[in-house]
Amino acid sequence: MTDVIHAPAPAPVEDLDYEAIIIGAGVAGIYQIKRLTDLGMNATVLESSADLGGTWWNNRYPGARFDSESYTYGYSWSQELLDEWHWTERFSPQPETLKYLNFVAEKFDLRQYMQFGCRVDSMRWDDDAHTWTLQLGDGRTMVTRFVYTAFGLLSVPTLPRIEGIDDYEGQAWHPHDWPHEPVDLTGKRVAIIGTGATAIQIIPEVAKEAEHLYVLQRRPNWAAPLHNSVIDEEEMADIRRRYDEIFARCAQTPGGFEHGPDDRSFWEVTKEERLELWDRLYEGSGFGIWLSHFREIFMEERANAEFSEYIAQRTRERIDDPELAEKLIPTDHGFGIQRVPLETNYFETYNRDNVTLVDLAEAPIERITKTGVKTTDAEYDFDIMIYSTGFDAFTGAYDQVDIQGVDGQRLANKWNDGPVTLYGILVHGFPNMMMVPGPQSAVVNFPRTVETTVDWATPLMEHARANGHTKFDASAAAEQEWFDECVGWYDRMLIKNSQHWMTGYNSNLPGHEFGNTRYNVYNGGGPRYQRLLDAAAAEGYPSVDFD
Ligand code: NAP
């Protein structure tokens, strides 16, 4: 007699709580649930916050707004939506963006699929049943076949690793957790630690209200004017007429914006022509100053140095005190090799009597005290401290969920030295899990990346279903190739030297100190990314194994 060993059968769909679960109800989760429910799937969205919106639900700090032109940030997939929505400002402020996302959810009746206040603690893959089992913070367990992680890329705030942080007795918070009720800053001594893109939006607003604002700066950041403006009915009507053209343009530029590179070589034009271009870009709005540029500024030290000196000069002109101006101009990195913050009166804010720059490069913080901060040369007392000290970018949200794939392998272990993915969407050993988007995706104008990744991951899952597959996984070889491609782009660009979340730097996280490079982003640009994804889909997903 011979023993017949039957392979365990995958769990039938009827046995699942949901066929698909989306984690996160931000810009990505909202679009993903629309796609899945359009297919008639039994799907839900689990969101840990009390409502939808993701980034735009959380970050309610004064000055929070897009650095993307509003009409390039909105979803492109519904003509009705494009026809109905009126963006009132070129760079939408947080309340309007949250209103927009609610408008979308209500228009397409998506709230019915969302569950709020649901933290996912763990996800375990069952390689017999071809299912994921999710354990929720509220004690519930959910079994599903497909998981879409719509975690966002900058959703886990980090507080400073400074001795004494728990001793402080005043009010303190990270901008991500800015209170939802109004904060009265009048008569208050306010400190802000950090000068990243977030702080650069907050500082001018807080300075208008607070009795005194202290900016605690460790490294200055390059920044350039946003030049926001109102969009009236007439301009909005024109934008509506041009939406096809606008989205087509965004699909052609590396950054997913209307702003695209100048195809001339830096060196083939005269210095006067370069200056003429730079003046125009500096006076223009949005990311033109960063992205409508000669490619050499991202690749060549000499070109970058010349342009950085131009921006330094423009910055100096805006600050009354020349000594202070020099402290606000970076010397450790060139313009544009880190994500460039856009600002409204940021540098002029330092001309106010109620604003003090505390230069931590000269006198570092020794400790946080009960009443404020002690640096190596002074003590400061504050009523409120704002820790604008960045995020555990890309992988932080994944580390918060105990994700165990095939053979119990933990994603956190696999990514210990940095993320490894296929297209920033799949991870070998973690079948049926799709990141929309994840680390190593082409992080461009964010909703453009969201649409690209959702529009790839959804048909991939449909392809599996249509062909009777209950499991798919990135092949190990294809994942390695994608990792090498990501590394290759870093190697070609000055960004590789940047002390920034794009290279995994965050001084507040052990293992993320400068020099421990993590290849967080695919830097090959949106169009190339799209081409590679399109080719993979057209060829029947050769880089994915189906079971
Ligand atoms: P960030 O760029 O990482 O900046 C963090 C800041 O905190 C840096 O100035 C850093 O100084 C400082 N810092 C961190 N730990 C510190 C410590 N222990 N002591 C003193 N200083 C400390 O973070 P972010 O400003 O929140 O911006 C993150 C990203 O969010 C941006 O790059 C952008 O992509 C996104 N964002 C987008 C928008 C928008 O689209 N409108 C707005 C805001 C933010 P060092 O440089 O010395 O480390």
Side-chain angles (χ1 to χ4, degrees), residues 94-151:
Q94 175 270 335
E96 176 165 311
T97 307
L98 190 57
K99 209 163 126 194
Y100 170 76
L101 295 174
N102 276 283
F103 178 79
V104 175
E106 263 133 51
K107 178 174 174 55
F108 298 102
D109 206 9
L110 300 174
R111 269 183 182 277
Q112 59 175 316
Y113 307 114
M114 298 179 181
Q115 306 183 49
F116 300 112
C118 291
R119 201 188 63 235
V120 177
D121 286 340
S122 71
M123 278 171 51
R124 224 180 43 251
W125 173 252
D126 180 331
D127 210 28
D128 294 332
H130 292 179
T131 54
W132 281 101
T133 301
L134 277 62
Q135 188 64 51
L136 272 56
D138 59 17
R140 284 184 295 163
T141 298
M142 290 180 185
V143 178
T144 189
R145 175 132 296 139
F146 305 108
V147 175
Y148 289 88
T149 55
F151 288 166

Side-chain angles (χ1 to χ4, degrees), residues 159-172:
L159 294 174
R161 260 202 296 175
I162 301 177
E163 201 192 322
I165 187 163
D166 295 330
D167 298 344
Y168 180 63
E169 289 176 351
Q171 289 179 285

Side-chain angles (χ1 to χ4, degrees), residues 61 65-67 154 160 162 193-198 201 218-219 339 360 388-391 501 505 507-508:
Y61 60 81
R65 64 174 64 250
F66 292 160
D67 282 343
L154 295 155
I162 301 177
I193 302 186
T195 47
T198 304
Q201 289 189 326
R218 192 165 58 185
R219 284 189 315 144
R339 199 283 206 177
L360 302 178
S388 189
T389 41
F391 292 85
W501 53 262
Y505 160 76
S507 69
N508 304 306

Side-chain angles (χ1 to χ4, degrees), residues 49-343:
S49 294
D51 207 347
L52 62 80
T55 285
W56 303 105
W57 167 261
N58 288 299
N59 289 273
R60 293 170 187 238
Y61 60 81
R65 64 174 64 250
F66 292 160
D67 282 343
S68 307
E69 282 74 7
S70 307
Y71 46 88
T72 70
Y73 193 97
Y75 296 116
S76 71
W77 41 264
S78 162
Q79 190 56 49
E80 259 183 54
L81 182 59
L82 295 170
D83 290 343
E84 285 170 20
W85 182 258
H86 182 151
W87 293 106
T88 63
E89 295 184 48
R90 182 162 297 271
F91 302 96
S92 170
Q94 175 270 335
E96 176 165 311
T97 307
L98 190 57
K99 209 163 126 194
Y100 170 76
L101 295 174
N102 276 283
F103 178 79
V104 175
E106 263 133 51
K107 178 174 174 55
F108 298 102
D109 206 9
L110 300 174
R111 269 183 182 277
Q112 59 175 316
Y113 307 114
M114 298 179 181
Q115 306 183 49
F116 300 112
C118 291
R119 201 188 63 235
V120 177
D121 286 340
S122 71
M123 278 171 51
R124 224 180 43 251
W125 173 252
D126 180 331
D127 210 28
D128 294 332
H130 292 179
T131 54
W132 281 101
T133 301
L134 277 62
Q135 188 64 51
L136 272 56
D138 59 17
R140 284 184 295 163
T141 298
M142 290 180 185
V143 178
T144 189
R145 175 132 296 139
F146 305 108
V147 175
Y148 289 88
T149 55
F151 288 166
L153 304 174
L154 295 155
S155 51
V156 179
T158 47
L159 294 174
R161 260 202 296 175
I162 301 177
E163 201 192 322
I165 187 163
D166 295 330
D167 298 344
Y168 180 63
E169 289 176 351
Q171 289 179 285
W173 54 79
H174 190 286
H176 174 272
D177 302 316
W178 195 278
H180 286 204
E181 56 283 357
V183 179
D184 185 7
L185 299 174
T186 41
K188 298 279 185 354
R189 296 159 303 172
V190 180
I192 183 160
I193 302 186
T195 47
T198 304
I200 284 175
Q201 289 189 326
I202 298 174
I203 287 165
E205 296 304 316
V206 169
K208 286 183 209 162
E209 253 194 75
E211 180 185 291
H212 205 95
L213 172 65
Y214 297 83
V215 179
L216 279 65
Q217 171 188 276
R218 192 165 58 185
R219 284 189 315 144
N221 223 325
W222 297 101
L226 176 69
H227 289 140
N228 189 22
S229 57
V230 166
I231 299 180
D232 61 18
E233 289 289 348
E234 198 184 329
E235 188 180 0
M236 195 62 224
D238 178 56
I239 289 168
R240 286 200 191 97
R241 272 193 298 275
R242 292 189 301 107
Y243 262 131
D244 283 352
E245 187 190 312
I246 290 169
F247 287 123
R249 169 78 182 148
C250 292
Q252 283 161 2
T253 62
F257 294 91
E258 287 184 290
H259 314 284
D262 191 315
D263 284 331
R264 298 172 298 171
S265 154
F266 187 99
W267 306 113
E268 95 189 5
V269 299
T270 63
K271 181 139 195 197
E272 288 66 36
E273 285 172 309
R274 292 202 283 274
L275 286 174
E276 189 270 324
L277 171 71
W278 298 345
D279 281 346
R280 195 153 36 80
L281 295 177
Y282 199 83
E283 302 307 327
S285 62
F287 277 133
I289 191 70
W290 188 27
L291 303 176
S292 295
H293 229 288
F294 307 111
R295 288 187 170 82
E296 287 85 349
I297 72 147
F298 301 107
M299 313 276 190
E300 291 180 28
E301 296 279 4
R302 205 152 61 90
N304 185 282
E306 186 183 313
F307 180 57
S308 298
E309 183 44 39
Y310 168 84
I311 297 285
Q313 194 45 38
R314 296 298 304 246
T315 305
R316 285 182 192 110
E317 288 160 10
R318 297 170 57 187
I319 303 159
D320 295 344
D321 174 351
E323 226 176 280
L324 180 61
E326 294 313 315
K327 292 183 177 178
L328 292 166
I329 297 171
T331 50
D332 69 322
H333 67 281
F335 184 94
I337 70 159
Q338 297 181 179
R339 199 283 206 177
V340 175
L342 295 178
E343 45 81 25

Side-chain angles (χ1 to χ4, degrees), residues 360-374:
L360 302 178
E362 276 176 7
I365 296 177
E366 273 185 354
R367 60 172 294 122
I368 294 176
T369 65
K370 275 184 183 182
T371 51
V373 153
K374 182 176 182 325

Side-chain angles (χ1 to χ4, degrees), residues 3-11 126-130 470 547:
D3 286 336
V4 178
I5 301 171
H6 292 287
D126 180 331
D127 210 28
D128 294 332
H130 292 179
T470 47
D547 196 345

